[in-house]
Amino acid sequence: MESHEFPELTKRSLKRINRARYKAREELKDQRKDWVKNNYYETFDKLLPPVIDTLPRVDARNLSCEEFRNKYELPRIPIVLTHLMDDWPAMNKWTMKKLAKKYRNQSFKVGEDNKGNSVKLKMKYYKEYIEYNKDDSPLYVFDGNYGDHRKKCQFLKDYKVPAYFSEDLFHLVGERRRPPYRWVVFGPKRSGTSVHIDPLGTHAWNALVSGYKRWILFPTHTPRWLLKQKLPDSEAVTWFKFVHPQTDDKNWPDDCKPIECLQGPGEMMFVPGGWWHAVLNVSDTVAVTQNYVSSANFGASWHKTARGRPKLSKKWLAQLREHRPDLAKIADETDLSVKLAEQSDSSSNGSTSSSSSSSSSSCSTCFSESEDSRERSRSRKKSESRKKRGKRDMETEGGRKKRYRSKTERDRDSYRNNSSSHSDSWDERGTTNGKSSRRGSSEHSNKDRRREH
């Protein structure tokens, strides 16, 4: 984005926005041209055929938790739930204008760089970006740390988890240990997430507050090679352009035909674990999403967690033995040497920006195993670095190891020794007047204490 193209933006705004764009997609050779080379800004409305919405809508006012579990959660049937968000404060508060005012100086994650580090942008700059950008696949806010943030935690007050999804077994390991599971998601037209499966066998729900999202879902048995094709990049709009038309081809397997849906404001998607899905924003959108594990999908989730995250599974099993012995028994009887028929998307990662690096596949409703492994790797490297520094700080002296003292420590010890000798000599001079000597010694020692502190 250049200043002469967007005179409405200040130099500071352009600088911050372009820095985030560069970090989020470092693979682009020409940052000035490659963001807009396909001209989707002009052709997007004609890029895809109209949506043939075949996903059933279910009125939540007439659906009990038991019915939802038996009809949809256990058999893993995706649906759209309505009238679940009618009383949410978010329906009135979560407009881009109001969010930009309330969280103006708060930073939100818009992607990841090639090293897996988060790329963030302040809300005041992102609002301007949404308004003026012409990128083929714009930056997409997908922030999962709002619950722990001093100011962004206000998001939690504007919505509530529906009763259908209240059973969340990962909470047993604690908020600090559990994988990331909830995100606020907002972005402009043409942003989205490419095709993926949510990791660890988790179910997901996605509540849309404003705008429209185009969804496409494939059955769990759909082969990975059929959907994960070699494309120019990993962006959602690219997948929809090249792969989506193939689903109407006569050679496409009949048992792998997709289900499509156009999600509108106030509607909540339920995506069962194991279903492939891709999402494309057809307008500016604001949403909140969460992954969860219930007793209905515990078997598949435990199998994937125990095989892929052994340390987490041990802590989880210990808590299950205490709080859910019935599920702990299922975990003990699970044969981990047998692979599940249900597939997993090993390439999914935590970057949900549609502008994340091309080596990663974005995921709008999932946390990531690879992101967690990167965190463990960074923690291990920090630990090794501390050990190396500790070794450097030791030196051999007189056949034993002695800690190396810095120049600051040596100066401080020297000062203390000099102060002590000065106090002793003063006391010797003041012996002819005991009262004066005691008062002077006391004042001197008080000065020493103040200096030391």
Side-chain angles (χ1 to χ4, degrees):
M1 298 175 70
E2 301 295 328
S3 57
H4 66 274
E5 297 175 352
F6 303 95
E8 303 88 352
L9 301 179
T10 64
K11 289 184 178 180
R12 175 175 290 185
S13 296
L14 282 170
K15 182 179 179 181
R16 299 292 189 275
I17 291 171
N18 284 331
R19 182 187 298 171
R21 290 165 81 235
Y22 172 77
K23 289 183 178 180
R25 294 194 66 186
E26 293 178 305
E27 78 278 3
L28 296 181
K29 295 180 180 180
D30 190 340
Q31 286 284 331
R32 294 180 60 185
K33 297 180 180 179
D34 287 353
W35 278 89
V36 295
K37 64 180 180 181
N38 296 308
N39 197 32
Y40 291 154
Y41 174 76
E42 299 288 347
T43 63
F44 180 73
D45 293 333
K46 300 178 181 179
L47 189 65
L48 299 174
V51 181
I52 302 176
D53 197 328
T54 57
L55 204 60
R57 263 68 173 176
V58 179
D59 191 334
R61 295 173 296 184
N62 303 320
L63 183 70
S64 67
C65 291
E66 185 178 358
E67 288 176 323
F68 170 77
R69 176 184 171 85
N70 294 330
K71 289 183 178 180
Y72 305 108
E73 191 176 26
L74 280 172
R76 300 193 179 192
I77 298 176
I79 56 168
V80 177
L81 295 163
T82 61
H83 299 290
L84 265 179
M85 306 161 55
D86 294 346
D87 59 344
W88 283 15
M91 296 301 293
N92 294 320
K93 293 183 177 181
W94 288 11
T95 64
M96 283 308 303
K97 183 177 180 180
K98 291 181 179 179
L99 290 176
K101 183 178 180 180
K102 185 173 183 178
Y103 302 102
R104 174 179 173 80
N105 289 308
Q106 307 308 312
S107 296
F108 291 84
K109 180 180 177 180
V110 295
E112 288 184 353
D113 61 19
N114 289 344
K115 296 180 180 179
N117 300 316
S118 297
V119 178
K120 296 185 178 182
L121 191 63
K122 284 188 177 181
M123 176 62 87
K124 59 184 178 183
Y125 301 129
Y126 188 73
K127 179 181 181 296
E128 294 179 321
Y129 172 76
I130 286 183
E131 189 174 352
Y132 297 111
N133 93 91
K134 295 182 180 180
D135 295 342
D136 292 335
S137 181
L139 296 172
Y140 190 25
V141 165
F142 192 88
D143 197 288
N145 296 322
Y146 65 95
D148 304 320
H149 194 271
R150 182 171 56 91
K151 291 188 177 180
K152 290 190 291 185
C153 65
Q154 297 296 317
F155 277 109
L156 294 172
K157 299 180 180 179
D158 297 335
Y159 73 93
K160 59 182 179 181
V161 178
Y164 304 130
F165 317 118
S166 59
E167 185 183 26
D168 187 5
L169 296 173
F170 265 135
H171 88 279
L172 293 174
V173 298
E175 286 293 319
R176 294 182 63 184
R177 289 178 176 174
R178 69 174 299 168
Y181 68 105
R182 61 187 177 193
W183 301 266
V184 287
V185 188
F186 43 92
K189 190 176 183 178
R190 303 182 305 283
S191 61
T193 56
S194 190
V195 68
H196 62 276
I197 294 177
D198 294 347
L200 302 184
T202 55
H203 292 333
W205 56 265
N206 184 299
L208 185 59
V209 175
S210 63
Y212 290 87
K213 290 178 177 288
R214 180 169 186 162
W215 290 74
I216 186 168
L217 301 96
F218 296 88
T220 58
H221 58 264
T222 306
R224 186 179 187 278
W225 60 265
L226 194 62
L227 303 176
K228 289 283 193 176
Q229 302 181 17
K230 188 174 181 180
L231 300 173
D233 55 56
S234 62
E235 305 305 304
V237 67
T238 304
W239 187 93
F240 272 90
K241 178 183 178 180
F242 289 101
V243 182
H244 180 276
Q246 300 177 28
T247 60
D248 294 327
D249 193 281
K250 62 180 181 179
N251 295 324
W252 192 272
D254 291 336
D255 61 340
C256 297
K257 289 291 185 180
I259 299 174
E260 291 198 62
C261 166
L262 185 64
Q263 182 187 15
E267 294 183 335
M268 186 177 294
M269 285 283 301
F270 167 64
V271 184
W275 278 73
W276 292 93
H277 53 283
V279 191
L280 187 63
N281 293 323
V282 295
S283 67
D284 297 352
T285 62
V286 179
V288 60
T289 182
Q290 184 166 322
N291 287 66
Y292 73 99
V293 177
S294 69
S295 53
N297 66 324
F298 173 75
S301 183
W302 169 256
H303 189 279
K304 292 180 181 293
T305 304
R307 285 172 62 95
R309 300 283 301 279
K311 290 185 178 180
L312 173 63
S313 65
K314 289 179 181 179
K315 295 172 183 176
W316 194 17
L317 182 58
Q319 294 298 318
L320 288 170
R321 294 191 194 283
E322 181 179 353
H323 300 284
R324 293 295 302 269
D326 56 325
L327 297 180
K329 184 178 179 181
I330 295 175
D332 290 331
E333 295 174 353
T334 302
D335 186 359
L336 300 179
S337 63
V338 179
K339 289 187 178 181
L340 291 178
E342 177 186 307
Q343 297 185 75
S344 62
D345 182 14
S346 59
S347 66
S348 293
N349 69 19
S351 171
T352 52
S353 164
S354 64
S355 301
S356 60
S357 71
S358 60
S359 62
S360 62
S361 170
S362 301
C363 169
S364 66
T365 56
C366 70
F367 56 79
S368 118
E369 296 172 66
S370 58
E371 182 181 16
D372 192 68
S373 64
R374 285 195 298 269
E375 290 178 358
R376 292 197 301 272
S377 176
R378 286 195 290 266
S379 177
R380 185 170 60 252
K381 288 179 180 179
K382 288 181 180 178
S383 178
E384 292 174 355
S385 178
R386 284 194 294 267
K387 289 180 181 178
K388 289 180 180 179
R389 287 199 300 269
K391 289 180 180 179
R392 286 198 304 267
D393 290 345
M394 302 294 288
E395 63 178 5
T396 303
E397 185 176 299
R400 64 186 181 88
K401 287 186 174 181
K402 181 180 179 181
R403 183 176 175 276
Y404 176 78
R405 296 187 306 151
S406 66
K407 184 176 183 301
T408 303
E409 291 175 310
R410 294 197 302 271
D411 291 345
R412 185 176 63 239
D413 292 344
S414 176
Y415 167 77
R416 287 174 175 172
N417 293 334
N418 293 336
S419 298
S420 176
S421 63
H422 175 72
S423 178
D424 292 342
S425 64
W426 194 92
D427 288 340
E428 290 175 0
R429 292 195 304 271
T431 53
T432 56
N433 188 345
K435 184 177 180 180
S436 174
S437 173
R438 288 191 298 272
R439 182 170 62 252
S441 177
S442 176
E443 290 175 356
H444 187 73
S445 61
N446 288 337
K447 288 181 181 179
D448 283 346
R449 292 194 190 98
R450 286 196 294 272
R451 285 171 181 168
E452 290 174 3
H453 288 291

